[in-house]
Amino acid sequence: MCVYKLHKDNSKYAYQESMHLTGKFAKRKRLCNEFQVRNFGFNHNRVDQFYRSQWQSGERSWFYLIYRWIWMLCFAAVFLVCLSLQYSDGKYFIFMTNWGVILGLLTQFVAAVLVTRWQFNINSLRSNICEMGTQGSPTTPLVKVYWLLHGVTMSVSLVITTVYWSILHGKMNKPMRFPVLSFVTHCLNSVFMLVDFLMVGFPVRVLHTVYAMLLPIIYFSFTIVYFLCGGVDEYGNHYVYPILDWTSPMRGVITFAGVFTLYCIYAIVFYSIYQFKRFLHRSFSTIWSPHCVGLI
């Protein structure tokens, strides 16, 4: 009897150990697959995930549709208020923070359009995708643009928040005319995008960080050209941000390297959150499945 029990316990332990090793192997394989060349692209066999929330159970969700339009209107309101109060003869557009606001608005607008088309089955969109299944649904150009925009906006929002509150806050050599608006654009922008990140159902691609990194390259290049052309901010400073004062090029280079490091860190963070979100979704789906509910 004792021998049988010992054998049974050993078998149970061996099974658990095997499952643990299998899980570790699967995670390692999944991470390695992320770095395949094809993941530079924007094709995905589950196109429906771009139209649906991670957490909705049915094909359609009025809650998700309303959420999408509320989020879009929030970003639109922030953009319009910022533009009206901070236009300053067009100097509104020289700041990275405002680039982030504009990108956020574009991202939320495209998302709202996609979900609206899905909800009301415009041009038989939902019917066609459901009919073709997971293998035959093409990733449309608008979906690809949305995927790109969402990744770029997520990264730049977190970088803006991190750089502003850790380095720039209180050190801009200019009066803070609109503190509430500054808080919204330097903090709540990231909160809004993180909430949205938790809501959406499509995957994160680590290699898409390459495209997100193009934005700081473009912006840094812009600040150099702006400086060389004698551009100033609304207070006459010859720089856009003190950390991008190109009279001291080394400061700009260090800032550039720091921003790129942040992008790499956040790429890992986003991928980890995405995997954890998938784990939670699978767990809740299992718990609330009809079979499990019947066993409770």
Side-chain angles (χ1 to χ4, degrees):
M1 183 72 175
C2 291
V3 173
Y4 171 74
K5 183 178 180 182
L6 181 61
H7 175 72
K8 185 177 180 181
D9 290 342
N10 287 339
S11 299
K12 182 179 180 181
Y13 174 78
Y15 173 76
Q16 291 175 342
E17 185 69 16
S18 174
M19 291 299 293
H20 177 68
L21 292 173
T22 302
K24 289 178 66 176
F25 175 75
K27 290 178 182 177
R28 191 178 297 114
K29 183 179 179 181
R30 188 161 56 238
L31 183 60
C32 290
N33 287 340
E34 274 299 312
F35 294 93
Q36 294 181 357
V37 176
R38 61 184 175 85
N39 284 331
F40 277 110
F42 291 89
N43 291 311
H44 187 50
N45 59 358
R46 287 291 308 278
V47 182
D48 62 297
Q49 292 179 345
F50 294 93
Y51 300 91
R52 303 169 67 245
S53 168
Q54 177 78 64
W55 310 103
Q56 73 182 68
S57 55
E59 283 186 6
R60 298 188 300 166
S61 171
W62 285 102
F63 171 80
Y64 190 52
L65 177 66
I66 294 170
Y67 157 80
R68 287 261 64 111
W69 280 101
I70 288 176
W71 239 231
M72 193 281 293
L73 291 173
C74 286
F75 274 87
V78 171
F79 169 70
L80 292 174
V81 171
C82 289
L83 188 64
S84 62
L85 295 177
Q86 301 175 332
Y87 182 72
S88 299
D89 296 325
K91 288 184 170 59
Y92 170 84
F93 297 101
I94 70 174
F95 295 99
M96 185 66 157
T97 300
N98 299 331
W99 287 28
V101 172
I102 294 170
L103 282 170
L105 174 58
L106 290 174
T107 302
Q108 299 304 324
F109 176 73
V110 175
V113 169
L114 289 175
V115 175
T116 301
R117 293 183 64 201
W118 176 271
Q119 183 75 12
F120 296 102
N121 199 25
I122 297 174
N123 295 328
S124 301
L125 172 74
R126 188 178 70 252
S127 301
N128 291 335
I129 291 176
C130 293
E131 183 179 346
M132 287 186 287
T134 60
Q135 300 301 323
S137 305
T139 309
T140 63
L142 186 60
V143 168
K144 293 180 180 180
V145 168
Y146 172 51
W147 200 357
L148 172 64
L149 279 173
H150 198 278
V152 171
T153 306
M154 272 296 304
S155 298
V156 75
S157 296
L158 269 292
V159 168
I160 287 171
T161 298
T162 304
V163 172
Y164 178 79
W165 292 104
S166 62
I167 300 175
L168 293 175
H169 181 61
K171 302 175 184 177
M172 290 286 286
N173 298 326
K174 63 180 72 174
M176 185 181 294
R177 295 183 298 165
F178 310 105
V180 174
L181 201 57
S182 178
F183 178 77
V184 170
T185 56
H186 294 109
C187 181
L188 292 188
N189 61 325
S190 293
V191 173
F192 280 14
M193 287 307 301
L194 282 171
V195 170
D196 195 57
F197 180 65
L198 295 175
M199 289 291 290
V200 299
F202 54 86
V204 169
R205 292 283 180 259
V206 176
L207 294 180
H208 286 181
T209 306
V210 173
Y211 306 116
M213 286 179 171
L214 291 176
L215 184 65
I217 292 175
I218 294 171
Y219 185 75
F220 276 66
S221 301
F222 161 74
T223 60
I224 293 173
V225 173
Y226 192 72
F227 168 75
L228 293 176
C229 292
V232 295
D233 67 4
E234 70 271 36
Y235 291 98
N237 297 311
H238 57 268
Y239 51 76
V240 180
Y241 294 104
I243 56 176
L244 291 177
D245 184 353
W246 293 107
T247 57
S248 176
M250 185 53 65
R251 182 184 301 176
V253 172
I254 293 172
T255 301
F256 190 73
V259 167
F260 261 67
T261 302
L262 279 176
Y263 267 86
C264 294
I265 292 172
Y266 282 132
I268 298 171
V269 171
F270 294 150
Y271 182 75
S272 301
I273 295 175
Y274 163 66
Q275 292 298 338
F276 181 66
K277 183 175 67 170
R278 289 185 65 198
F279 167 75
L280 286 180
H281 180 256
R282 287 195 302 268
S283 300
F284 283 117
S285 297
T286 302
I287 292 172
W288 294 110
S289 66
H291 301 289
C292 288
V293 171
L295 294 173
I296 295 176

